[in-house]
Amino acid sequence: MSKSAKLAVLGSINADHILNLAHFPRPGETVIGKQYQIAFGGKGANQAVAAGRAGADIAFIACVGADDTGERIRQQLAQDQIDTSPVETIAGEATGVAMIFVNGDGENSIGIFAGANAALTPACVERHQQVIKDADALLMQLESPLESVLSAAKIAHQHQTQVILNPAPATQLSDELLALIDIITPNETEAEILTGIAVKSSEDAARAAGALHEKGIGTVLITLGSRGVWLSEQGNGQHIPCFRVEAIDTIAAGDTFNGAFITARLEGQAVVDAVHFAHAAAAIAVTRPGAQPSVPWRAEIDAFLQQQG
Ligand code: ATP
Ligand code: RIB
């Protein structure tokens, strides 16, 4: 694959309302926040931005509402080097929203209103099928209707477009969908929901990866937060640690990892090198607040890697 290999990302766009507080409110409790910001997010958009800023040739299939937020997000995506022609504006719908609490340990808890993201139907996928056919890889997540993810995976599979799925938020998936995936990137929770195997050790990760290989997926990358990833290719597994940084907010760490990883793969980097590149991008992201505001540009990732030797 060359530098001009094309990426299609299909997924969600949200306006993130982020409230930092000392601890998560318990049922019935009110906690006074320390800081509040609205920033652009959504797993699909975050991954598209991570790829765009890392240098991918990328088009994004998504939906925004016919509101001011949707228009501003579309403009920002274009500035992030993304072809937004497959981003539809849905009349009568609001742009998706995520309400995010971040506690004093930098952990987050998220509630979502899909809004216009629900309009990313199989019919919408069909309208943009040429983008998928023309791409070398299709990257998706699960904040879009599942039947649309399946339709897109089928189109990609039929046209030799590699399918990479970040199965977040966690849910069980059909064998039909899993069989169409080339690379899957669950975190530990998602891996457990997909396989029934709790990932507490390398042995568990190897078994969970094995269960996903049995469904027909060649490459499994289980992300382990600050411990890095478990990479398993056709059953050959290894732990690849990530960089040690002072994490302040892990929102979009996984999204940055995914967008950067597939960008590096499409440049022809070996899988292990692409994981290092993605670890660097995600390490930078966790040192900054918010989703898209935290995603680094290529020059920042290259400088970080150089510094780390
Ligand atoms: P999120 O839902 O918070 O976006 P996730 O659960 O999908 O993330 P994680 O497994 O938490 O994904 O992390 C993905 C990658 O981000 C890790 O493999 C690593 O590269 C990077 N990362 C996450 N947390 C840290 C950290 N504390 N320090 C350095 N890198 C981190
Ligand atoms: O992965 C982080 C994202 O999840 C946030 O940007 C929020 O929009 C939710 O979709």
Side-chain angles (χ1 to χ4, degrees):
M1 280 177 271
S2 71
K3 245 199 172 262
S4 60
K6 283 188 189 320
L7 173 64
V9 175
L10 181 149
S12 60
I13 294 178
N14 294 331
D16 290 351
H17 293 250
I18 306 170
L19 182 64
N20 293 76
L21 25 68
H23 64 268
F24 296 132
R26 286 177 282 275
E29 185 187 15
T30 300
V31 177
I32 308 292
K34 295 181 165 177
Q35 210 180 318
Y36 168 74
Q37 65 163 322
I38 302 178
F40 298 150
K43 291 188 190 302
N46 298 343
Q47 295 184 18
V49 167
R53 291 185 190 169
D57 179 352
I58 173 201
F60 184 30
I61 303 169
C63 296
V64 288
D67 48 20
D68 176 57
T69 307
E71 190 45 40
R72 284 189 297 119
I73 290 176
R74 179 193 284 281
Q75 285 170 14
Q76 179 59 50
L77 292 170
Q79 283 178 23
D80 286 322
Q81 313 298 317
I82 295 165
D83 174 2
T84 58
S85 43
V87 176
E88 295 195 5
T89 299
I90 309 299
E93 279 293 351
T95 297
V97 170
M99 310 301 290
I100 306 181
F101 288 143
V102 179
N103 74 9
D105 296 326
E107 297 168 321
N108 60 63
S109 159
I110 306 180
I112 282 175
F113 171 65
N117 293 311
L120 210 173
T121 57
C124 175
V125 173
E126 208 169 308
R127 284 195 289 279
H128 301 291
Q129 59 179 297
Q130 198 58 45
V131 175
I132 299 171
K133 292 178 186 171
D134 289 346
D136 295 277
L138 169 68
L139 171 61
M140 299 187 285
Q141 325 70 34
L142 299 176
E143 279 181 358
S144 305
L146 258 187
E147 64 270 24
S148 307
V149 172
L150 180 62
S151 307
K154 281 182 180 165
I155 295 167
H157 194 70
Q158 280 162 10
H159 293 85
Q160 290 77 49
T161 300
Q162 197 175 41
V163 179
I164 168 164
L165 181 72
N166 173 228
T171 190
Q172 289 183 342
L173 296 175
S174 66
D175 285 355
E176 184 188 18
L177 175 57
L178 291 173
L180 296 168
I181 295 166
D182 299 291
I183 305 174
I184 196 162
T185 61
N187 67 13
E188 291 149 297
T189 311
E190 292 145 10
E192 179 173 353
I193 287 180
L194 289 173
T195 65
I197 298 165
V199 179
K200 305 270 182 229
S201 64
S202 292
E203 291 70 31
D204 297 336
R207 283 197 302 126
L212 291 166
H213 288 315
E214 273 174 27
K215 301 290 182 187
I217 304 171
T219 301
V220 178
L221 268 164
I222 302 178
T223 63
L224 309 167
S226 60
R227 286 176 291 115
V229 299
W230 181 262
L231 165 66
S232 182
E233 292 182 278
Q234 311 289 356
N236 293 314
Q238 59 176 306
H239 174 230
I240 307 179
C242 61
F243 295 97
R244 290 181 77 115
V245 291
E246 191 73 39
I248 59 152
D249 163 350
T250 62
I251 299 171
D255 296 334
T256 304
F257 181 92
N258 276 276
F261 172 78
I262 193 62
T263 300
R265 282 296 289 148
L266 289 174
E267 285 176 6
Q269 294 192 37
V271 176
V272 171
D273 295 334
V275 168
H276 282 298
F277 181 81
H279 274 334
I284 297 169
V286 302
T287 63
R288 300 171 174 172
Q292 286 164 43
S294 74
V295 175
W297 287 84
R298 178 59 172 258
E300 296 174 296
I301 305 170
D302 289 343
F304 179 91
L305 281 167
Q306 213 166 10
Q307 268 167 23
Q308 298 286 329

